[in-house]
Amino acid sequence: MSHPIIHMENISKHFGNVIALNGVTFDVRPGECHCLLGDNGAGKSTFIKTMSGVHKPTGGSITFEGRPMSFDSPRDAMEAGIATVFQDLAMIPLMSVTRNFFMGREPTKGRGLFKRFDIDTANDITRAEMRRMGINLRSPEQAVGTLSGGERQTVAIARAVYFGAKVLILDEPTSALGVRQTSNVLATIDRVRSQGIGVVFISHNVRHALAVGDRFTVLNRGQTLGTATKGEITATELQDLMAGGQELAVLEGSLGGTV
Amino acid sequence: MSTDTLAKTDERIKSESLATKLMKRPELGAIGGVILVTIFFLITADRSMFTLSGIMNFMTPAAQLGILGIAAAMLMIGGEFDLSIGSMVAFAGMIFGVFTVNMGLPLILAIPLTIAFAAVLGAANGLIVIRTGLPSFIVTLAGLFVLRGASLVGLKIFTGGATQLRGVREAVASDFLTPIFSGDAFGFLFDWLAKAGVIDAFKSGAPKVPGVPVEIIWFILFALIATWVLLRTPFGNWIFATGGDALAAENSGVPVRRVKIMLFMLTATAAALVAIITVIDAGSTDARRGFMKEFEAIITAVIGGCLLTGGYGSAIGAFFGAILFGMVTIGLTYTRFDQDWFQVFLGAMLLIAVLFNNAIRKRVTGER
Ligand SMILES: Nc1ncnc2c1ncn2[C@@H]1O[C@H](COP(=O)(O)OP(=O)(O)OP(=O)(O)O)[C@@H](O)[C@H]1O
Ligand SMILES: [Mg+2]
């Protein structure tokens, strides 16, 4: 097995007297999809924010490509190669797909006073990158607001991949999506993984996680309950872990196994 | 889905006709408005409105307003307002008067100094907005009063009690830069055209319209450059992004603060440019200069297709918005209507523009 790109050891994070994370250990290897599962408030978002430079951990250590690392800002993490696609996506609906894709990192041509945004190149790249992700844009100049939720998600992912992400963090990318769009995003994750990028996939949904995940880590009340590899664990076992074990068994009877 | 998709994609591009594409452009409303108003005046106004001198007659105020309106549009696309533009015209006019008349500086110093002064004040506006997180509407509303009052007080101080500072024209008359900021351009061309009988001439042979007023040249140049910056440079992309969603832009690496501060500097320097042009033209300056121009500039931007919420708009739109404004203001004097209808017209235009922009926005984002 290859070495992890990023290794987070025993991470804790306190917000005043709230202990959001209490010793979480997690790593991502190139070309794998590592799922982070847990119930509401388990600390998933907080955890990936320490990974993407938004929060500084209160305790624990981060090793990036074998070296100890501490990110001061999301920009730092981005430059190191950690791209995060947040639930709100950081997209601007009124702007074209291309303009969103290259926002803040526009390719230019010409020099001096005539240095300009190379729209044609940008359009071509956007179209090509989106096609690589399995989406055919009507036009790269169409506004992002006209895209479906899954397509927007894909733009965000494609952008991260294009700009050289080594680790791609996706915070609940499927929670707001329909069946078909979910399967599109899951297929996209699979494509990204096959390019050697380490994917962190956060989800509530065990079935989505099992569909693409290679490893599964369950968080509960700010702590890791352990990491399992694909094939070692069943959906029911994961479900039980997420809920903290006992309560779900009771529920299961009355809901007839629908959860 | 890989090999046959190319053809499919192309076919879907074609399905968006030129007409639908045009329907999504922010400047559409303003251009349509200019056409409608032109038709209206062709029917109701005296013929002289659309002679060369009539056109210069409404284009001159349109240009003066348009320079402000285009700057206001860029700021509005960036998600902010500047209500201090009008007062800035008065303030910069006073500063310029003091530099040229009281201190006797040549234009090559007086103009850059005036512009720099305004730019610093604009940057201050921007810094306050960014640091406090207050709406720019309020911050620059304060600027509106502060600068207007400061112009009044300043004029009294520098003139020894008067509220008008005279003698600017005499002070700059022999300056080599004066022709760039005042008078008419392309005089030789108009002379030639008059001699050739293409345009109207006096009996002496001199053309009735001696040239293109320089502000019109500035106006057109500014519109072209602003459009180029907005649509064809990274900075333009940052402006749209900043106004569209500042947080998303910031997270994607757009220097949001720098963009906003530069835009506030732009509106202030545009005001200074208008001040310089109009003060040289009038030969004097007073504290009422630029009165209400902040609202007219914003109206121009909105008629030009800017959304009040930011992130959408066009400099070319503001260009036509200003022409529309100039036509309505001046055009009514060529008709038999009471000139005071002008404000009614303006309000109605503004309302129609806002409704129209809203509809366009829905079209662009595919909202239903
Ligand atoms: N900035 C903060 N200040 C104080 N408490 C916080 C802060 N951020 C998160 N918390 C707390 O930390 C805990 C974990 O929150 P987090 O957002 O990480 O949960 P989550 O696992 O992402 O949940 P969900 O599945 O609902 O998104 C919660 O109890 C939350 O109230
Ligand atoms: Mg969360």
Side-chain angles (χ1 to χ4, degrees):
Chain A
M1 253 274 152
S2 50
H3 289 292
I5 311 172
I6 187 165
H7 180 86
M8 318 271 295
E9 180 69 36
N10 206 15
I11 300 291
S12 62
K13 176 71 194 173
H14 303 179
F15 295 106
N17 56 2
V18 179
I19 301 175
L21 298 174
N22 189 14
V24 179
T25 299
F26 187 89
D27 64 1
V28 192
R29 302 195 188 111
E32 77 161 347
C33 173
H34 193 160
C35 297
L36 187 60
L37 296 151
D39 245 342
N40 293 120
K44 305 182 295 296
S45 296
T46 309
F47 180 69
I48 59 116
K49 281 180 180 161
T50 63
M51 199 188 284
S52 61
V54 177
H55 293 323
K56 260 198 168 315
T58 312
S61 66
I62 306 178
T63 317
F64 187 77
E65 297 188 315
R67 285 185 304 274
M69 183 69 113
S70 131
F71 299 122
D72 288 322
S73 71
R75 190 106 202 127
D76 269 9
M78 246 160 85
E79 263 149 36
I82 299 180
T84 311
V85 177
F86 293 103
Q87 177 91 52
D88 56 14
L89 292 179
M91 290 263 171
I92 298 174
L94 277 165
M95 278 166 57
S96 72
V97 179
T98 299
R99 284 178 177 274
N100 267 287
F101 197 99
F102 287 98
M103 178 172 37
R105 289 179 282 205
E106 296 81 3
T108 55
K109 65 180 175 192
R111 49 179 69 204
L113 263 181
F114 294 98
K115 194 159 132 186
R116 57 197 183 279
F117 184 5
D118 189 351
I119 296 256
D120 295 330
T121 306
N123 278 337
D124 290 346
I125 294 173
T126 305
R127 189 194 288 278
E129 291 298 314
M130 288 303 284
R131 186 171 297 147
R132 246 154 56 107
M133 294 291 170
I135 294 202
N136 280 291
L137 292 173
R138 209 175 317 138
S139 152
E141 303 213 322
Q142 76 186 98
V144 157
T146 60
L147 298 180
S148 74
E151 288 168 334
R152 285 187 215 193
Q153 200 83 45
T154 309
V155 177
I157 296 172
R159 173 169 74 179
V161 172
Y162 177 75
F163 285 106
K166 293 170 184 158
V167 177
L168 178 64
I169 304 171
L170 304 167
D171 193 356
E172 310 208 17
T174 53
S175 60
L177 301 183
V179 180
R180 212 166 54 83
Q181 307 202 324
T182 298
S183 78
N184 278 342
V185 169
L186 295 182
T188 306
I189 291 176
D190 187 46
R191 276 203 195 84
V192 171
R193 169 175 56 188
S194 64
Q195 295 174 29
I197 294 168
V199 180
V200 179
F201 176 34
I202 297 174
S203 182
H204 276 131
N205 191 311
V206 171
R207 280 189 304 123
H208 295 173
L210 280 169
V212 287
D214 296 302
R215 287 193 296 158
F216 309 89
T217 294
V218 178
L219 271 190
N220 188 292
R221 305 177 67 79
Q223 282 177 308
T224 358
L225 295 182
T227 300
T229 313
K230 190 182 188 108
E232 272 180 7
I233 194 160
T234 65
T236 327
E237 283 169 325
L238 270 178
Q239 200 93 267
D240 280 352
L241 271 176
M242 278 170 66
Q246 47 321 52
E247 307 116 274
L248 207 68
V250 182
L251 273 177
E252 195 117 47
S254 56
L255 295 177
T258 46
V259 230
Chain B
M1 37 154 84
S2 54
T3 45
D4 63 329
T5 42
L6 200 69
K8 213 190 272 166
T9 316
D10 287 347
E11 160 204 310
R12 284 168 78 189
I13 296 172
K14 276 188 199 124
S15 75
E16 184 166 62
S17 70
L18 187 67
T20 21
K21 258 193 187 151
L22 283 179
M23 282 304 288
K24 290 181 178 175
R25 294 299 313 161
E27 49 278 274
L28 177 77
I31 295 176
V34 168
I35 294 172
L36 284 180
V37 168
T38 305
I39 293 173
F40 174 79
F41 283 122
L42 279 173
I43 296 169
T44 60
D46 189 273
R47 291 211 145 176
S48 58
M49 180 172 173
F50 291 100
T51 61
L52 197 55
S53 70
I55 292 173
M56 296 302 176
N57 230 354
F58 67 75
M59 280 300 286
T60 305
Q64 291 170 1
L65 173 61
I67 294 170
L68 301 176
I70 292 168
M74 291 180 84
L75 179 64
M76 231 160 129
I77 296 171
E80 303 289 347
F81 292 99
D82 188 349
L83 291 182
S84 68
I85 318 180
S87 303
M88 182 64 82
V89 173
F91 192 76
M94 174 198 73
I95 298 279
F96 179 67
V98 170
F99 283 146
T100 49
V101 177
N102 295 36
M103 299 170 67
L105 294 180
L107 288 184
I108 195 150
L109 289 178
I111 289 174
L113 282 173
T114 307
I115 301 265
F117 220 99
V120 168
L121 289 173
N125 265 340
L127 276 171
I128 296 173
V129 168
I130 284 167
R131 283 284 154 79
T132 60
L134 290 170
S136 50
F137 195 80
I138 292 301
V139 172
T140 57
L141 184 62
L144 182 154
F145 288 105
V146 170
L147 289 177
R148 183 70 64 192
S151 310
L152 200 55
V153 174
L155 279 170
K156 285 187 194 160
I157 292 173
F158 289 114
T159 58
T163 54
Q164 194 180 39
L165 199 159
R166 293 167 214 263
V168 178
R169 193 175 301 144
E170 295 72 28
V172 304
S174 57
D175 202 293
F176 74 100
L177 281 176
T178 304
I180 299 179
F181 293 93
S182 87
D184 301 298
F186 302 120
F188 61 92
L189 185 67
F190 280 64
D191 283 341
W192 183 78
L193 287 172
K195 283 205 185 78
V198 179
I199 58 174
D200 292 345
F202 292 112
K203 286 207 181 81
S204 65
K208 282 190 177 162
V209 177
V212 185
V214 287
E215 48 262 70
I216 297 180
I217 310 282
W218 280 101
F219 174 47
I220 293 170
L221 272 180
F222 187 29
L224 291 176
I225 294 172
T227 301
W228 186 74
V229 168
L230 279 175
L231 299 181
R232 284 291 175 271
T233 67
F235 190 71
N237 207 35
W238 299 351
I239 295 176
F240 282 108
T242 299
D245 183 342
L247 190 64
E250 181 104 61
N251 283 344
S252 309
V254 174
V256 167
R257 291 156 167 259
R258 187 148 55 98
V259 169
K260 288 200 172 179
I261 290 178
M262 288 185 68
L263 290 174
F264 276 109
M265 290 169 74
L266 177 76
T267 52
T269 48
L273 176 64
V274 170
I276 291 166
I277 290 172
T278 56
V279 167
I280 296 182
D281 191 44
S284 68
T285 187
D286 60 76
R288 271 186 63 86
R289 187 162 294 281
F291 189 65
M292 291 283 277
K293 286 291 178 232
E294 56 282 333
F295 294 109
E296 296 181 5
I298 289 175
I299 294 173
T300 301
V302 171
I303 291 176
C306 289
L307 289 182
L308 293 157
T309 43
Y312 193 71
S314 131
I316 284 291
F319 176 84
F320 285 106
I323 293 177
L324 193 58
F325 203 109
M327 283 178 93
V328 171
T329 324
I330 305 293
L332 285 172
T333 61
Y334 288 90
T335 66
R336 272 178 293 158
F337 298 112
D338 186 339
Q339 221 198 106
D340 291 330
W341 278 106
F342 143 70
Q343 302 211 17
V344 177
F345 253 87
L346 217 61
M349 261 168 23
L350 181 64
L351 195 61
I352 294 169
V354 173
L355 293 173
F356 193 81
N357 291 347
N358 219 25
I360 294 239
R361 193 205 67 222
K362 285 187 180 150
R363 229 169 233 283
V364 168
T365 56
E367 274 177 54
R368 270 166 283 267

